[in-house]
Amino acid sequence: MIHGYSIFLSPLNSQMRDFFAVDGISAITAMKTTYLAVYAAGNLLFGVLTNRISARVTLALGMVVNGAAVAGFAAMGPNDIALMHALWALAAFGGSVYHPVANVLITRLYPTRKGMVLGVTGTGAAVGFAFAPLATGVLATVAGLTWQQIALLFGSAGVLVGIAAWGMIPPAAREANGPHTAGSQRGANEPSEHRGAPHREEHSGEAPGHAQGRSPHSPSHFPTLGVAGLALVIGVASLREVAMWSVLDTSDFFLTLVLADSTRTGFFLFLLYLPGIFVKPLVGVLSDKIGRKRLASAALIFYGLAVASSAAAGPIALIPIYLLMGIGMAATIPSIEAIVADATTERNRGVVFGVFVTAMIGIGALGPFFSGAFLDAVGGTIEGFRALMLVLGALPLLGGIALAILRLPPREPTAGEVSTRAAPHDGSGP
């Protein structure tokens, strides 16, 4: 639901422009910039607070606030565009709890399979991204609902999901797995029920022997990666975010010109995010086995080429191109997030994820506004859209090249992996 909220109205951007009686594209895309900017700032706040707050309360309450704000769109009038920005900001604040709190919770529970679980939970994000615009398209074209009626439905659903989260997340989820328990005081050790289980995890493309000689109680290798290395990873992810959010929020205007039909945008955005449902968990597992960096680099380059190719595509060719864009985009997410998770200890992971998401999405938030402003400056012509797609495609392409050049330190082994290496091999394990 949280990820769906960032996209569900994008297929109706043209309808919203008519409702608010504004001429410029940027007047509508600027709402997404407001949402993303507040969402980014909230991630930093909740990243700092992650180890001090209840995951159950935070995730449930954040979802309710997000849903209630979205439902409030139904009360807007044609002159309330400023109030729309305020409600988007409130919705973003509620949604901003998710990344730092949820990512820390699940990587703490599965310390030797971070890529896998980030990929699996990323499937939920992909479902929201894919089916929210599809549902909006169906509700608008088949049921004849306006964007405000659709917002009321989506907002109410989010409140119900928040209530369900309160009931389903264990009350002691944070305390049972938090940094103050005996298990976590062992450093980055896995939970006791996983200790000693044979498991192999990637080494970021570096020589595995380098990691094997280190103590499991040595400091986090975030200092080894260094501030400059983490900043480069953030920069790479930010280039993807600028491209991703810009493509998302300009697609309705772009497709209306190319297809001469504004009712199909929901379907194309569905195609854009559908691959994530399958690609994210697959890439997450693969990154645990063959390396985060090479997967992320290849995916970024692939994504950039797919975005750029849309500049020369006709109506029919845009269908496979949007699918290819979705494959490349989805593949970058769990692999890059797992790079960041590997670069931290369990104790400081919430703060680092908060900084990572804040910087990444904060920079990405500029994309919709500046893309809209560029299109306004060139008169919203098809040639302007094609030029924009070439620029947007170049951004993740350059990011993939930069990531390929960056040398990442090897991941610290967990206590379970160390004990497995030390134990005699009986031939029964992998």
Side-chain angles (χ1 to χ4, degrees):
M1 288 302 304
I2 284 174
H3 288 80
Y5 282 148
S6 66
I7 188 175
F8 85 104
L9 282 180
S10 294
L12 302 180
N13 274 348
S14 293
Q15 185 184 125
M16 292 175 63
R17 180 167 64 167
D18 293 339
F19 177 85
F20 288 111
V22 293
D23 295 327
I25 292 174
S26 59
I28 301 301
T29 59
M31 294 182 191
K32 187 61 58 65
T33 295
T34 294
Y35 177 83
L36 292 174
V38 176
Y39 188 93
N43 270 269
L44 181 58
L45 171 64
F46 288 105
V48 172
L49 297 176
T50 295
N51 291 328
R52 299 175 174 83
I53 54 181
S54 163
R56 179 197 194 196
V57 172
T58 308
L59 292 172
L61 185 58
M63 186 75 257
V64 170
V65 170
N66 200 345
V70 168
F73 294 170
M76 297 298 98
N79 297 320
D80 292 334
I81 194 167
L83 187 55
M84 273 290 291
H85 280 270
L87 285 177
W88 270 122
L90 180 61
F93 183 74
S96 68
V97 307
Y98 175 75
H99 278 285
V101 175
N103 281 359
V104 169
L105 179 63
I106 60 175
T107 56
R108 179 180 292 151
L109 292 170
Y110 297 88
T112 65
R113 290 179 287 172
K114 294 187 288 289
M116 183 274 290
V117 293
L118 287 170
V120 170
T121 54
T123 300
V127 167
F129 278 138
F131 285 93
L134 183 66
T136 294
V138 171
L139 291 170
T141 58
V142 177
L145 299 185
T146 66
W147 70 270
Q148 289 180 294
Q149 292 170 324
I150 293 171
L152 182 60
L153 284 177
F154 269 84
S156 301
V159 171
L160 293 177
V161 169
I163 295 171
W166 174 269
M168 296 177 72
I169 297 175
R174 176 182 67 90
E175 293 78 7
N177 304 287
H180 303 299
T181 61
S184 61
Q185 286 174 356
R186 286 186 290 266
N189 293 4
E190 58 196 302
S192 58
E193 63 267 28
H194 296 296
R195 292 202 311 276
H199 187 81
R200 296 176 61 195
E201 192 167 353
E202 60 85 27
H203 296 277
S204 302
E206 305 297 333
H210 184 65
Q212 292 175 8
R214 296 184 178 183
S215 165
H217 303 287
S218 62
S220 157
H221 79 250
F222 168 57
T224 306
L225 176 60
V227 174
L230 183 62
L232 181 55
V233 174
I234 289 172
V236 167
S238 298
L239 293 176
R240 178 201 65 202
E241 293 292 301
V242 170
M244 183 180 80
W245 294 109
S246 296
V247 169
L248 168 62
D249 242 36
T250 60
S251 280
D252 191 35
F253 304 109
F254 172 57
L255 294 171
T256 298
L257 279 178
V258 176
L259 306 177
D261 183 358
S262 63
T263 65
R264 301 183 190 178
T265 303
F267 170 70
F268 274 87
L269 296 184
F270 168 72
L271 293 178
L272 181 62
Y273 287 96
L274 177 65
I277 298 174
F278 314 101
V279 171
K280 285 184 179 181
L282 174 62
V283 168
V285 171
L286 287 176
S287 77
D288 284 338
K289 296 181 180 297
I290 68 174
R292 328 278 196 203
K293 191 180 77 165
R294 63 170 64 97
L295 273 177
S297 300
L300 284 164
I301 293 171
F302 182 87
Y303 176 49
L305 292 174
V307 172
S309 68
S310 68
I316 300 299
L318 282 173
I319 293 177
I321 284 175
Y322 266 68
L323 275 171
L324 292 173
M325 280 195 284
I327 292 171
M329 181 176 65
T332 69
I333 295 173
S335 51
I336 292 178
E337 287 186 353
I339 288 173
V340 176
D342 277 345
T344 69
T345 61
E346 178 183 309
R347 182 178 295 276
N348 68 11
R349 193 167 294 148
V351 175
V352 174
F353 261 119
V355 172
F356 171 71
V357 175
T358 295
M360 174 184 68
I361 297 182
I363 296 172
L366 301 175
F369 175 75
F370 282 112
S371 295
F374 170 78
L375 293 170
D376 287 340
V378 299
T381 62
I382 188 63
E383 291 78 13
F385 276 101
R386 296 192 190 284
L388 177 64
M389 291 300 182
L390 286 174
V391 173
L392 294 177
L395 297 180
L397 177 64
L398 292 174
I401 295 172
L403 186 59
I405 296 172
L406 175 67
R407 280 186 63 85
L408 297 178
R411 179 189 56 80
E412 292 289 348
T414 64
E417 292 171 310
V418 171
S419 62
T420 300
R421 296 184 185 116
H425 196 284
D426 60 5
S428 61

